[in-house]
Amino acid sequence: AWLDAVTGDHKIMERNPSKKGHTCICVLKDRYCQWLQAYPQMAKSAKETKAAFQHFLGNDVKRCKHIFTDNSEEYRIAIAELGICHDCSVPHRSSTNAIAERAVQKVKQGTACTLWQSGLQESWWHLATTCYCFLANVTDTLKNGRTPYHMRFNKDFEGPIYPFGAMIRYKPADTDEIAKQHQLNNQLIPGIFVGYGQHAGGGWDETLLIIDAAKMDEAAQLNHLHHTAILVGQTEPDTVGGSFWF
């Protein structure tokens, strides 16, 4: 069942930090649902690792029966503070942590493909990796014919499926941005889709994460850009001939 067994491992990114300064990714996976999440972290610390587990588990912290990791210090501390049973792999034997390592490899390869398709700089990986995981959860078909999302929430994902980096039009939530709009246009401005808003526990909060395309063109330092969560009903795909463009 959900949270009977969870794996955790880190992908170190110190040589290629994200645009926001993240230096590693905490990759968590539920073995029953195959639910996969990646959490960019500024440092490989117990504090950030615990926060990743708390977001992954949501309100089900007490329901989690078992977590399996490589026994690094940040995992030992974080899991002990959460009060969850913790087992560790055998040092220098990767086969004992194979499921977690395959999850990391999947996130690495999926994020690389996601970035390549989007045309965005590789330093945007902190957004690409979370977007990739959510899309994998709602589109991957398991052997039983269901998706990880369906296994997790017992229903199909009902939101739109957009590729990372796709152009999208949206109604801005910021009152200053709304005031700038011409009264006779359709009130939608161009943006770049970078992910899905999620509740703690993984559920979709019915928002899309969008970066203002105009601000991205004008920004002297892209690390100062921030995405905005926009209700899905205030957005529409910006397609050409029925196809997304980037």
Side-chain angles (χ1 to χ4, degrees), residues 168-197:
I168 194 168
R169 300 187 68 82
Y170 70 100
K171 184 175 182 179
D174 186 271
T175 53
D176 291 336
E177 291 296 330
I178 295 174
K180 295 177 183 177
Q181 303 305 303
H182 193 284
Q183 291 179 320
L184 300 182
N185 74 10
N186 66 4
Q187 304 297 301
L188 299 181
I189 62 175
I192 299 171
F193 170 73
V194 293
Y196 295 84

Side-chain angles (χ1 to χ4, degrees), residues 13-33:
M13 298 291 293
E14 289 180 345
R15 291 193 296 110
N16 304 106
S18 77
K19 199 166 290 293
K20 295 293 186 180
H22 302 92
T23 63
C24 62
I25 309 170
C26 179
V27 179
L28 305 179
K29 182 178 182 179
D30 175 74
R31 293 178 63 175
Y32 173 75
C33 297

